[in-house]
Amino acid sequence: METSATNNTIPVEIISEEEMAFLEAALASARPLIAASFSSSINQCRSVSLVPRATPPDTPDIEESGVRLPRKPFLAQFRKNRGLTVTDITATEWCEKQMEFVLLHGRPRRTKAMKMGSDRHAQLEKEVIERVEIRVKSAEESWAMKFINFIAGSNQLIFEGLTRELPVIGLFNGIWLVGVIDELRVPTNERTINPILVDTKTRSKPTLPAEPQKRNARFQLMCYKYLWDDLIYSMFPSDEFFKYFNLDSQYVLSDEIKEYVNSMGFQAKTLGEVMTYYKNTCSLLPRSKDELLLRYELQADNTLLEEYVFSYDASWFQTQMKQCLDFWVGNKEVKYVTEDEKWKCQYCKFSSICPLTTVRASSSQN
């Protein structure tokens, strides 16, 4: 089911720079560090990820010779003890070859369009969240703050009917996925406690995205729904989590973090104790609605261009996830875009070195 509320006079633009999933792939290619946030309110807590550029390994171009050598899976090369982000997954769906180039060559410079999109998300977050930084000294403290942020955001959703920038983590076919849900809200015009997941995209021009862009955005929201619902239906595998991410569950948290935890109404001295409260919180939450909401806004004045409601498609989602994960675990050759989506190459930062575009350019000259 798909419904749309929009101005029918708004034209469709085949692509715009800020909307390209490649930009999310570039951000996702870096190693995250956490700067946790808090305030005096129990329902106003979040974490912020800082993404410095990853150093690409000395890996030869896999296309430079006629013989393709077996490669180490990208998951093991670039996401060991980290898991995949949702933006890793959606960037892979956009173009596998582009994702490969991002991993091997690093991310491009941050553009004005990217900054404006990030600024709008920060503005939306600020409407319901007040930020004050908490220093973290280790991976254990970073994860503790993520779980604390989730608990606080879940409380905000239950008591106020709205929360934003909610960190989530879970397993899909044995592979860890992490992400940040843009928005969860409880519908005010329905008799339900089930929240709806919302994602807001920004546009630099008063145009609507083409179908491949909407498809990629739908996939992103379905990833978040899967992670949210999985936390509720499944017992979080804490032992497996500590082992995979190489964390000490008995790690004693800093006094600053312990004081903040106390201000939320519970006591926890170690990462493992925070995990216990996290799992208890998950067990009390309702599953999300099958309807998902995409919003497109104009960057200049935040004018709503379109609200786009669609239904979660479990079968389609599973198929897309398998294809993307096969790329990461090395179960298949890296694919180029399909024939009808080769227009993406015109906007790709790696088109000058991509065999698909260089071969096509040579053919047109001959």
Side-chain angles (χ1 to χ4, degrees):
M1 180 191 73
E2 297 179 5
T3 60
S4 176
T6 183
N7 184 342
N8 292 329
T9 64
I10 298 175
V12 173
E13 182 182 25
I14 195 164
I15 195 169
S16 62
E17 182 183 11
E18 81 282 4
E19 192 64 26
M20 290 179 65
F22 165 70
L23 301 179
E24 290 191 321
L27 290 174
S29 68
R31 181 181 301 275
L33 300 175
I34 306 301
S37 309
F38 77 100
S39 77
S40 59
S41 169
I42 187 173
N43 296 325
Q44 295 181 327
C45 171
R46 291 298 181 275
S47 63
V48 180
S49 294
L50 309 177
V51 281
R53 176 172 177 171
T55 302
D58 296 328
T59 305
D61 191 329
I62 64 172
E63 300 288 350
E64 67 185 7
S65 67
V67 178
R68 183 179 292 275
L69 300 176
R71 63 172 173 85
K72 186 178 181 181
F74 293 135
L75 182 64
Q77 285 190 69
F78 301 100
R79 299 294 185 266
K80 185 178 180 182
N81 300 128
R82 292 171 56 193
L84 296 176
T85 66
V86 170
T87 47
D88 285 332
I89 297 297
T90 56
T92 303
E93 189 275 338
W94 181 258
C95 176
E96 292 182 9
K97 193 64 181 177
Q98 190 181 68
M99 185 72 248
E100 179 187 48
F101 280 133
V102 169
L103 293 171
L104 296 178
H105 300 289
R107 61 191 177 100
R109 291 190 303 271
R110 183 177 173 85
T111 66
K112 180 180 178 182
M114 292 169 67
K115 184 179 185 303
M116 290 183 70
S118 298
D119 289 347
R120 176 54 178 156
H121 276 264
Q123 181 184 359
L124 288 170
E125 182 185 13
K126 206 171 185 179
E127 292 176 358
V128 297
I129 299 160
E130 181 182 350
R131 285 177 170 268
V132 180
E133 290 190 351
I134 286 181
R135 292 181 297 274
V136 295
K137 304 174 184 177
S138 65
E140 282 83 0
E141 291 188 344
S142 295
W143 278 107
M145 286 308 306
K146 282 188 176 184
F147 294 132
I148 292 167
N149 289 337
F150 179 89
I151 294 169
S154 298
N155 287 337
Q156 186 178 44
L157 176 67
I158 292 171
F159 293 110
E160 300 179 19
L162 173 69
T163 193
R164 291 180 177 143
E165 300 300 311
L166 191 74
V168 285
I169 179 173
L171 282 169
F172 184 94
N173 290 353
I175 295 177
W176 285 99
L177 298 178
V178 296
V180 179
I181 297 175
D182 190 20
E183 180 178 320
L184 276 159
R185 65 171 76 152
V186 177
T188 57
N189 58 347
E190 301 177 24
R191 289 188 175 182
T192 179
I193 61 172
N194 303 96
I196 182 171
L197 279 81
V198 182
D199 196 60
T200 299
K201 306 289 186 185
T202 62
R203 309 281 296 173
S204 62
K205 302 176 183 178
T207 58
L208 297 178
E211 171 53 26
Q213 294 164 275
K214 284 189 173 183
R215 181 190 68 223
N216 193 262
R218 291 195 299 269
F219 186 33
Q220 180 184 21
L221 263 177
M222 289 187 195
C223 285
Y224 292 140
K225 174 178 169 56
Y226 171 85
L227 289 172
W228 171 268
D229 288 352
D230 187 62
L231 286 173
I232 294 161
Y233 285 125
S234 305
M235 178 65 70
F236 187 81
S238 51
D239 290 342
E240 188 174 345
F241 166 79
F242 292 133
K243 181 178 179 181
Y244 179 84
F245 289 93
N246 194 27
L247 300 169
D248 178 9
S249 63
Q250 299 305 309
Y251 181 93
V252 178
L253 304 173
S254 70
D255 290 341
E256 189 176 11
I257 294 177
K258 286 186 286 189
E259 287 175 9
Y260 175 61
V261 170
N262 289 340
S263 74
M264 293 181 63
F266 64 93
Q267 293 185 341
K269 297 180 179 179
T270 66
L271 174 60
E273 291 174 353
V274 171
M275 172 67 74
T276 298
Y277 285 103
Y278 171 75
K279 292 168 71 172
N280 289 340
T281 299
C282 292
S283 68
L284 299 174
L285 296 172
R287 66 181 294 274
S288 62
K289 290 176 66 67
D290 284 339
E291 289 74 32
L292 306 167
L293 175 62
L294 274 172
R295 303 178 70 256
Y296 291 94
E297 292 183 349
L298 184 63
Q299 286 181 351
D301 57 6
N302 303 331
T303 300
L304 180 65
L305 299 175
E306 180 180 47
E307 283 197 339
Y308 173 48
V309 179
F310 64 96
S311 295
Y312 179 72
D313 186 334
S315 177
W316 181 83
F317 172 72
Q318 294 276 341
T319 299
Q320 295 299 110
M321 284 295 296
K322 183 180 185 307
Q323 292 177 2
C324 291
L325 292 181
D326 281 347
F327 163 89
W328 282 96
V329 300
N331 284 347
K332 66 174 184 178
E333 297 290 335
V334 177
K335 292 194 308 182
Y336 298 96
V337 293
T338 58
E339 186 67 30
D340 61 338
E341 294 187 14
K342 284 185 178 178
W343 52 265
K344 294 177 180 178
C345 303
Q346 301 174 44
Y347 306 91
C348 178
K349 305 298 183 183
F350 300 105
S351 60
S352 63
I353 61 173
C354 178
L356 181 65
T357 52
T358 54
V359 169
R360 191 166 56 198
S362 299
S363 299
S364 62
Q365 293 174 0
N366 294 332

